[in-house]
Amino acid sequence: MLTMNVLDFSSYEEYLDNFITINDVRYIRNLNVSRCFIQHACGKSCMGRLLSRDEFIEKRKKMHNLMHPRVMNAAELFGRNYHGNDNVLQQFAKREYQLYTKQLAASTIVFLMMRSKKGLEVSSFIDLEQSFREARFKSTQHYVNWPAIFEGKARLTPQSYHLSFFDGSKNKVVMNGSENFQVFPEGAHSLLLIHRGDHKIVCVNGVCHCSHTKNVFRTMHSSSIYGHCIFFDHLVRRVN
């Protein structure tokens, strides 16, 4: 059975109705009885896992908050109290403030490169806005502890679920889409991304001179913690 999005259902009853078959309607002939039957007959084993009413409401609320984050003020930001001198952490805090106070209608991609114990490259392109947003819900699949990162107790590291991930020791490349970007390899460009909002193509290849490189503002910052870190800021254009 395909995974369902609880946001597709406006009520728990509508969610239950999705499990009712034509045969249920034909033989039971009562919608309320059919719903009760589905709840009691399915339990934890039917069709993957039927949500209870409380679980449905809670999951729907969390997914809605992820897809429609409210505008926050500066007092609620992870980097609000960062006053250190690490240049990259300063840039993280700056962009978090700009993104969530809506001073900057943009999406930011971060290129982060580190070295394995063998000295080989491990790197990622990261959707910074999504990483910040998901960090507000510890139950999210790819939770990042940004408060600990700004406090110096943890470090942002390349992960296989990022937009693009390269592990030099395994010669492994993984590409994933995010809520803001669709990713695809494209020959000489190395890596192209399409912003899901304005459909602009972004090229992050530093030596490429194609027109897509003009859709991002590229800056490099260095720190003792992260080495050289590249920020690609894409100004999102309003789609009419």
Side-chain angles (χ1 to χ4, degrees):
M1 180 177 179
L2 295 175
T3 301
M4 292 181 296
N5 186 342
V6 295
L7 293 180
D8 292 336
F9 308 103
S10 59
S11 67
Y12 184 63
E13 286 71 25
E14 186 175 328
Y15 165 73
L16 289 177
D17 291 347
N18 189 72
F19 292 89
I20 297 175
T21 67
I22 295 177
N23 287 334
D24 293 331
V25 176
R26 182 179 300 161
Y27 294 113
I28 299 177
R29 296 181 179 277
N30 186 296
L31 186 57
N32 289 329
V33 174
S34 296
R35 288 170 177 166
C36 290
F37 175 78
I38 288 295
Q39 286 179 276
H40 290 90
C42 287
K44 296 182 179 181
S45 61
C46 179
M47 302 178 215
R49 173 70 165 90
L50 184 74
L51 300 175
S52 67
R53 183 180 295 275
D54 289 341
E55 289 172 333
F56 172 83
I57 293 173
E58 181 64 21
K59 187 171 183 179
R60 196 172 189 279
K61 180 180 179 181
K62 287 182 178 180
M63 291 187 68
H64 183 273
N65 288 336
L66 279 174
M67 297 184 67
H68 306 284
R70 63 188 178 87
V71 177
M72 295 176 288
N73 58 55
E76 300 174 284
L77 302 179
F78 299 129
R80 67 187 182 279
N81 295 321
Y82 182 74
H83 302 295
N85 57 7
D86 186 273
N87 196 17
V88 170
L89 288 177
Q90 289 175 349
Q91 296 301 318
F92 285 149
K94 174 183 176 181
R95 280 164 177 77
E96 183 192 22
Y97 179 83
Q98 292 174 328
L99 289 168
Y100 284 103
T101 58
K102 302 302 180 182
Q103 289 190 9
L104 182 65
S107 285
T108 297
I109 301 165
V110 176
F111 176 71
L112 185 65
M113 184 180 73
M114 296 182 175
R115 295 290 176 182
S116 67
K117 294 181 179 180
K118 296 180 179 180
L120 298 174
E121 177 183 338
V122 180
S123 61
S124 280
F125 285 92
I126 304 169
D127 185 335
L128 190 60
E129 186 277 331
Q130 182 168 322
S131 182
F132 281 138
R133 176 158 40 85
E134 290 185 337
R136 303 192 176 280
F137 305 92
K138 292 185 178 181
S139 60
T140 54
Q141 184 179 5
H142 304 311
Y143 171 76
V144 175
N145 192 344
W146 276 101
I149 289 173
F150 281 115
E151 292 170 7
K153 298 177 181 178
R155 188 167 66 162
L156 182 66
T157 58
Q159 299 293 334
S160 60
Y161 58 78
H162 287 148
L163 289 169
S164 178
F165 172 77
F166 173 70
D167 185 343
S169 62
K170 300 178 182 179
N171 198 26
K172 176 183 178 182
V173 178
V174 179
M175 296 185 183
N176 308 282
S178 72
E179 292 183 16
N180 293 309
F181 293 97
Q182 178 183 353
V183 184
F184 59 96
E186 183 61 29
H189 297 283
S190 176
L191 181 68
L192 293 179
L193 304 97
I194 300 178
H195 190 269
R196 297 185 188 276
D198 63 6
H199 310 299
K200 289 292 182 180
I201 298 175
V202 171
C203 178
V204 293
N205 188 337
V207 297
C208 184
H209 300 288
C210 71
S211 60
H212 304 315
T213 59
K214 298 178 181 179
N215 290 328
V216 288
F217 181 66
R218 182 181 185 272
T219 56
M220 180 184 291
H221 301 274
S222 301
S223 78
S224 59
I225 299 175
Y226 293 100
H228 298 294
C229 188
I230 304 176
F231 291 77
F232 299 88
D233 296 308
H234 169 64
L235 182 63
V236 180
R237 300 181 182 180
R238 181 175 298 177
V239 178
N240 296 323

